[in-house]
Amino acid sequence: GPFVLAISVGADLGQAVERYAADHGARGIERLHVPLAGGDFFDADAVRALAAHTVRRLNTLHAEGTPKHLLLRGPASLATSIGLAANGTGRTFVPAYDGHDDYVGGLSIG
């Protein structure tokens, strides 16, 4: 199965990651959650830094020949930044979060 990389900003993905991984026979899970307090703002520098970290991790997994699924919950600017920078990281499947506790459909990047 794939390696599941789960990135969230603000609200945590909770048990959705484990359910997704189990449903897809994942070989491993890595979670990165950036909590935000009431008035905190996830600014452009933070978006760039998290996108760069995510793309480096996707590239490492690609170099190992590992199939990858990327679960995201955060600002659209983060998803866009990751998608733009993911060139050369190999095919990565990105399912769509349904806004509740599950992932449906999706697309491939990379």
Side-chain angles (χ1 to χ4, degrees), residues 64-87:
E64 296 169 357
T66 304
K68 309 168 294 299
H69 286 205
L70 175 61
L71 308 185
L72 289 172
R73 183 173 186 180
S77 57
L78 176 62
T80 302
S81 296
I82 291 168
L84 290 170
N87 187 30

Side-chain angles (χ1 to χ4, degrees), residues 7-108:
I7 308 294
S8 58
V9 175
D12 187 32
L13 288 167
Q15 294 300 310
V17 177
E18 285 75 16
R19 283 193 305 275
Y20 183 89
D23 289 348
H24 292 85
R27 65 176 70 184
I29 300 172
E30 183 176 323
R31 297 175 73 126
L32 178 58
H33 174 67
V34 178
L36 296 178
D40 286 349
F41 181 71
F42 200 67
D43 65 12
D45 288 338
V47 168
R48 282 190 294 272
L50 186 52
H53 169 81
T54 302
V55 170
R56 280 191 304 273
R57 188 65 180 116
L58 292 173
N59 199 37
T60 299
L61 291 166
H62 175 64
E64 296 169 357
T66 304
K68 309 168 294 299
H69 286 205
L70 175 61
L71 308 185
L72 289 172
R73 183 173 186 180
S77 57
L78 176 62
T80 302
S81 296
I82 291 168
L84 290 170
N87 187 30
T89 61
R91 185 172 305 275
T92 301
F93 184 71
V94 184
Y97 185 65
D98 72 0
H100 299 287
D101 283 323
D102 207 3
Y103 282 84
V104 295
L107 57 98
S108 291

